[in-house]
Amino acid sequence: MDTLQVGTRQRVEFIDITGQVSQWLAGQPPVSGVLTVFVPHTTAGIMIYENADPDVIRDLTVQLDKLVPFEDNYRHAEGNAAAHIKATFIGSSVQAPVEGGRLQLGTWQGIFFCEFDGPRRRKVQVQVLGAVDG
Ligand code: ZN
């Protein structure tokens, strides 16, 4: 397992880290198997999502804010209850197939780091399990 660094600049931000993950993968032995990307945080998540039209991210942001408003008489004293809830909705890991050391995402898919309580320095753990080709 390795750890990638992601710096977020806004309170809520979706960052396409597909390139960063693919670059890491290119430095590993060329296996065929499964990649796991895991976020070890309780106010951030990870998802595979449409990465061609920026409006699709905008629409997600708006709808998540409707589902989980920033202020709603939450009991959590730290003041970031909405971020915890959104992170849980999105989830803390994704998996994707790898063939010959190359990530096999769909044409319109990307891996997005999801910040809900930024800006912060964040960690993303990556691990690929499989058999070396050949
Ligand atoms: Zn909290």
Side-chain angles (χ1 to χ4, degrees):
M1 188 194 77
D2 282 325
T3 302
L4 309 179
Q5 306 291 329
V6 177
T8 65
R9 287 168 294 184
Q10 298 170 39
R11 185 184 197 181
V12 173
E13 189 175 6
F14 298 91
I15 301 175
D16 188 340
I17 62 167
T18 311
Q20 201 175 343
V21 171
S22 295
Q23 196 174 5
W24 171 80
L25 204 50
Q28 306 304 307
V31 303
S32 292
V34 63
L35 167 77
T36 298
V37 186
F38 177 77
V39 169
H41 301 291
T42 63
T43 55
I46 191 91
M47 66 181 181
I48 293 175
Y49 198 64
E50 208 266 23
N51 73 344
D53 177 4
D55 280 344
V56 180
I57 283 289
R58 186 202 154 276
D59 289 342
L60 177 65
T61 306
V62 169
Q63 294 304 318
L64 280 176
D65 284 346
K66 283 186 193 170
L67 283 170
V68 189
F70 283 109
E71 304 294 338
D72 200 8
N73 296 315
Y74 299 113
R75 289 192 168 194
H76 181 48
E78 199 186 10
N80 59 358
H84 289 302
I85 295 167
K86 287 176 177 174
T88 293
F89 281 3
I90 294 297
S92 56
S93 70
V94 295
Q95 292 186 310
V98 173
E99 282 292 326
R102 294 176 63 97
L103 194 52
Q104 303 295 303
L105 291 175
T107 305
W108 309 109
Q109 290 181 317
I111 300 171
F112 285 83
F113 181 88
C114 309
E115 176 63 80
F116 297 115
D117 196 25
R120 291 177 189 242
R121 296 288 307 163
R122 298 295 203 172
K123 292 180 168 64
V124 175
Q125 295 171 349
V126 285
Q127 185 174 48
V128 63
L129 296 177
V132 176
D133 291 343

